[in-house]
Amino acid sequence: MEQPLEYYIEMVIRWLPNWLLSMMTLIAAVFVGWLIHRFAFRLLTRIVANRDLFWRSLVSRTERPLRLAVVTWVMVPAVSIAPLNDSETGILRHILLLCFIVLIGWMSRTTLHIWTTVYLRRFKLDAEDNLLARKHVTQSRIMERVAATLIIAFTLSAALMTFPAVRQYGVSLMASAGVAGIVLGLALQPVLKNLFAGIQLAITQPIRIDDALLVEGEWGKVEEITSTYVVVKLWDWRRLILPLGYFIEKPFQNWTREGAALIGTVMIYLDYTIPVADVRRKVEEIAAASSLWDRQVVNVAVTDFRENVMEVRILVSASDAGKAFDLRCEVREKLIAFIQQDYPASLPKVRAESAEGQDVRTAALGDGAARVMQS
């Protein structure tokens, strides 16, 4: 008499050992979960094909977390069906719980990163006036790192709290509030200090990405702001690494706090005989011919009288610190060439006047030459 198919399946199940049957059940569950994920991912990709960048990036970046979620979801009934003892079932369910906690943290971190990236696409740091872009980029990056740190901390804490031994230890440690609590607070002080410093930097923004700084006697631009330190790219391509707390506790110069434009200063010391009006006209001519000048400020003024020379201060403005430095160098080079060619006698010199009212330049001559001039 022909037996039904269920009979043979039941015979095979009885003949197979429990461990092999459990392994086959779990492997089959993983395979079914993989198939479901593949179908669901293709379906979601087609659904968001015509959506905005955020949804398309979210689906593409969450392929692996979605696979873990589907496999975890399918494994839950598989663990109940598999012929496992209570201990093995408890271990597998605990592992699935840990996977679920990690999955939530993973998805949260990925969503945060995608949202920040898409949001910052509207701001261009390479624009001529990038003050607004630097403000938003700095604030978003710092807050993203702080939020990512909190997500990781909460995920790790939730995972550890699933272990009874760790949970009891944590409760007893918090209840003791004694020496262990003090030691823990001291150990976490640098982490908490940088965390709060990062939040304060994001809110008050004393520095931003691409800001030009004069710090520790070095000039450079803020290249990166992490959750613990700031990277300043110096003018000669060196990197100066400073902790976040440095910019809260110590003074520094920010040359692009409210705008990138700067006034450059050129100091030159000339003899009293040079006509200042000619120098002023030449400086204005140099600035007008330069592509570095922003057409805002050009000024020549005698700011001091010294014993042998007068101090002439030249001001020229440029759109950023780099152009201001190059413009100052250009003004120096062209102005000194003009003075050497048209007024060479007005360069600084050391001289003395004799009792008869004659100029005797003894400071630059030897004693023998001085006696010859006096005789």
Side-chain angles (χ1 to χ4, degrees), residues 115-132:
W115 182 86
T116 305
T117 303
V118 173
Y119 173 75
L120 293 179
R121 280 179 175 268
R122 67 185 72 178
F123 303 106
K124 302 296 183 182
L125 287 175
D126 54 355
E128 184 69 23
D129 186 8
N130 60 355
L131 178 61
L132 183 62

Side-chain angles (χ1 to χ4, degrees), residues 2 9 16 31 41 65 96 106 139 162 192 241 265 296:
E2 188 176 351
I9 295 177
L16 291 175
F31 180 71
F41 182 74
L96 293 177
W106 192 357
Q139 199 169 41
T162 61
L192 296 176
I241 312 298
T265 305
Q296 296 295 322

Side-chain angles (χ1 to χ4, degrees), residues 139-315:
Q139 199 169 41
S140 300
R141 291 301 184 195
I142 294 178
M143 295 306 294
E144 179 191 3
R145 289 186 173 93
V146 172
T149 303
L150 294 177
I151 290 174
I152 294 173
F154 280 119
T155 302
L156 182 61
S157 300
L160 292 177
M161 292 299 288
T162 61
F163 296 91
V166 176
R167 183 169 61 248
Q168 293 174 2
Y169 176 75
V171 172
S172 62
L173 180 62
M174 294 299 293
S176 62
V179 178
I182 298 175
V183 173
L184 181 62
L186 293 175
L188 293 177
Q189 184 179 3
V191 178
L192 296 176
K193 179 180 178 181
N194 285 321
L195 180 64
F196 289 114
I199 296 175
Q200 188 173 355
L201 281 177
I203 296 175
T204 60
Q205 291 197 340
I207 60 171
R208 291 179 290 260
I209 297 294
D210 207 41
D211 266 353
L213 305 182
L214 184 62
V215 56
E216 294 291 320
E218 301 280 1
W219 182 89
K221 290 190 174 183
V222 177
E223 183 178 48
E224 183 182 3
I225 301 177
T226 70
S227 57
T228 56
Y229 59 87
V230 177
V231 180
V232 180
K233 183 179 180 181
L234 303 181
W235 64 274
D236 56 359
W237 298 354
R238 290 177 296 150
R239 264 64 175 183
L240 182 63
I241 312 298
L242 297 168
L244 283 179
Y246 179 94
F247 297 95
I248 302 298
E249 300 172 355
K250 295 186 178 181
F252 61 93
Q253 293 185 30
N254 189 337
W255 291 8
T256 54
R257 180 68 177 87
E258 297 296 337
L262 288 176
I263 297 177
T265 305
V266 175
M267 307 298 296
I268 187 168
Y269 298 90
L270 301 172
D271 190 74
Y272 291 105
T273 59
I274 192 168
V276 179
D278 291 352
V279 175
R280 182 176 291 108
R281 281 192 295 269
K282 185 60 180 179
V283 170
E284 293 174 353
E285 176 186 335
I286 294 172
S290 176
S291 60
L292 302 173
W293 186 46
D294 63 356
R295 273 62 184 169
Q296 296 295 322
V297 176
V298 58
N299 179 264
V300 177
V302 178
T303 55
D304 195 10
F305 286 144
R306 304 290 177 87
E307 182 180 358
N308 299 309
V309 294
M310 62 179 177
E311 180 184 81
V312 180
R313 186 192 67 183
I314 302 168
L315 301 180

